[in-house]
Amino acid sequence: MMLTTDRWESTWNKLDLVCPDPRLFDSVIEHYSQPHRHYHTVQHLEECFAKWEELRAQSRHPGEVELALWFHDIIYDVRRHDNEEKSAEWAHRCLQGAGASEEVAQRVHALIMATRRHETGDDVDATILVDVDLSIFAAPPDRFQEYERQIRAEYGYVPQPLFTQERSKILRRFLNRPRIFNTAAFFERYEAKARSNLEDALQSSQ
C-alpha cells in the first residue's frame, strides 16, 4: 500500500482536522527513510497500513489509530530508550497545533506508547494497533527472513554473540505469551504462523 499525501490528508479528515503544517507529510516520510533504519522504514509503515485495513471496522476511533500509525516510529534510534515517548510527544504537539481536543491528543499519545512494550490492557484500539505493529511476525517466510536481516542491520554495531543472546530473549518473550495477537481476527488468522516463524528464528540463532 503506497503512502500518499491523499492518505495522509484523509487521516486528518477522519478526525475533522487539517494537518497544521503542509511540510509535515514530507517530514514523516523523511524520518522513516533515514539511512540508519533498515526495518523501521516506509516499508514497515506501508505494511502496517495494509494490515490495518483488516481491523479498521473494529476500531472505536479509527482516525486516532491511523494517526498513531503514522507517528508510532517517527523517532527511531536503537541507541535510544525514549523513541516511543518522543514519537508520542510529536504526535501530541501536532494534534494540539491542529486544534484537536486534549482527549484526542492524549488517546493518540497513549496508543503510540502501547507499542513500547506491546501491552494493551483492555483498550480495543491499542490492541488493534499493537497487533498491526506485530503482524510482521506472521509474514511469509521470505519476508520474515528479510525482516530478521533488517533487524540485525539496525543493530549492526552490536557484536554477534551479544545480539544473538538478546534477540533470543525477545523471541522467547513473545513465544511465552499466552497470545501474540490479541484481536480475535489476527489470533485466528496469524497466531500459528507467527509462532512458527519465531520458533524457526530462535532455532536458527542457536
Side-chain angles (χ1 to χ4, degrees), residues 78-96:
V78 296
R79 298 172 190 262
R80 301 179 65 121
H81 299 285
D82 61 353
N83 290 310
E84 292 83 6
E85 288 95 333
K86 294 299 183 185
S87 297
E89 288 167 6
W90 192 348
H92 190 279
R93 287 195 303 273
C94 289
L95 282 161
Q96 286 181 318

Side-chain angles (χ1 to χ4, degrees), residues 60-83:
R60 291 178 180 168
H61 304 98
E64 293 169 18
V65 176
E66 278 199 19
L67 198 67
L69 268 179
W70 282 104
F71 279 91
H72 80 285
D73 285 324
I74 195 168
I75 300 297
Y76 185 77
D77 182 343
V78 296
R79 298 172 190 262
R80 301 179 65 121
H81 299 285
D82 61 353
N83 290 310

Side-chain angles (χ1 to χ4, degrees), residues 14-40:
K14 289 182 178 69
L15 295 166
D16 295 321
L17 299 170
V18 175
C19 177
D21 184 346
R23 300 165 297 179
L24 187 54
F25 173 77
D26 289 339
S27 183
V28 170
I29 298 302
E30 285 170 9
H31 276 75
Y32 281 94
S33 303
Q34 290 168 326
H36 67 271
R37 299 179 184 232
H38 298 272
Y39 171 65
H40 295 85

